[in-house]
Amino acid sequence: MRIVVWNCRMAFARKRELLFALKPDVAVIPECSRDAARACAGEGYSVCWWGDTKHKGLAVIAAVPWALDSGRSWARHPAQKWIAPVKVNGPTNFLLVAVWACPVGTVRELNYVGQLFQAVKRHKRWFSEGVPTVICGDFNSNAILDRGRKIMRHTAVVGMLAERNLLSAYHAFFSEEHGKETRPTHYLWHRESKPFHLDYIFLPRPWIQSLSEVSVGSYAQWRSWSDHMPVVVDFSLPSMDDARPSQVQQTAV
């Protein structure tokens, strides 16, 4: 299976062929317009989209044989902005939590990764539904940005996900520590001199063991299209039983 995360920096309607060329089974696309997401549906992809304005939101697409289930309980406006769950049905069913961590106000602790921190703490049922969970997208965070945050930090989120048996595919594949990444996924103001690693794909631990390839798009190839580089993860799917969380089941809140 192949999962791709790419913050397209808007104008996805004229960029989507670039993503299609990566041949994702499932892709998470922050900063995608509603109409561009709908265009993907017209080209045979299963699509979900969330946004305050039709011009800029968060999209998830899936290619056959995968399909997105946007039933009422999963299609609600995300409580955190934008941390959105959708069920992915196919050869293996799983819950995908798509992430585009954004600012929400003037309280720094609640902005960006603070939204993901709150979502993971709040939605215990995401990790106790009897199906695997994948969390991926543009986190807009890194361990080097923890300074100044009291509790809702990148390092804390990584630890919380590890407790739920979710690990970063990039860090596992390249044996790198958070905050010491050698392959940037974002270039501030499109400048090669200002690299950051902000985009992540967290998989269940058994899936991590079946990783075959992880790659990050190059600055030279993608700088004309976005300030974010696509992150591509390939892995083989274990059986459903092997991929389920091993921790004690928790009650939904």
Side-chain angles (χ1 to χ4, degrees), residues 18 27 45 49 54 61 72-74 103 107-108 111 119 163 252:
L18 295 166
Y45 290 86
W49 182 89
K54 67 179 182 179
I61 68 171
R72 284 189 302 172
S73 64
W74 301 101
V107 181
R108 182 186 179 192
N111 285 325
E163 290 173 356

Side-chain angles (χ1 to χ4, degrees), residues 216-227:
V216 178
S218 70
Y219 176 78
Q221 181 180 359
W222 292 90
R223 64 180 180 178
S224 298
W225 304 105
S226 177
D227 50 354

Side-chain angles (χ1 to χ4, degrees), residues 106-181:
T106 59
V107 181
R108 182 186 179 192
E109 190 84 356
L110 299 179
N111 285 325
Y112 297 114
V113 75
Q115 291 295 288
L116 182 54
F117 181 98
Q118 287 185 317
V120 173
K121 291 284 284 187
R122 176 177 179 177
H123 297 287
K124 295 180 180 179
R125 69 192 181 103
W126 289 353
F127 310 98
S128 60
E129 285 289 314
V131 296
T133 298
V134 172
I135 297 183
C136 59
D138 176 7
F139 287 24
N140 267 316
S141 69
N142 188 284
I144 65 172
L145 303 176
D146 278 353
R147 182 176 297 178
R149 288 183 168 272
K150 297 178 180 179
I151 298 174
M152 301 182 190
R153 302 178 296 169
H154 179 88
T155 302
V157 169
V158 171
M160 290 163 58
L161 294 180
E163 290 173 356
R164 292 156 175 79
N165 287 314
L166 295 178
L167 303 176
S168 166
Y170 171 93
H171 295 85
F173 188 80
F174 292 110
S175 298
E176 295 181 359
E177 297 179 17
H178 284 268
K180 296 183 179 180
E181 297 86 359

Side-chain angles (χ1 to χ4, degrees), residues 200-252:
Y200 306 86
I201 298 174
F202 279 79
L203 302 177
R205 194 180 300 271
W207 295 13
I208 289 289
Q209 296 170 359
S210 67
L211 284 172
S212 57
E213 186 63 44
V214 175
S215 63
V216 178
S218 70
Y219 176 78
Q221 181 180 359
W222 292 90
R223 64 180 180 178
S224 298
W225 304 105
S226 177
D227 50 354
H228 285 258
M229 310 298 108
V231 179
V232 181
V233 170
D234 293 319
F235 57 95
S236 299
L237 285 167
S239 70
M240 287 284 287
D241 289 340
D242 290 342
R244 288 173 182 165
S246 61
Q247 72 272 21
V248 175
Q249 295 293 303
Q250 302 178 63
T251 304

Side-chain angles (χ1 to χ4, degrees), residues 9 54 193 217:
R9 201 173 183 269
K54 67 179 182 179
S193 61

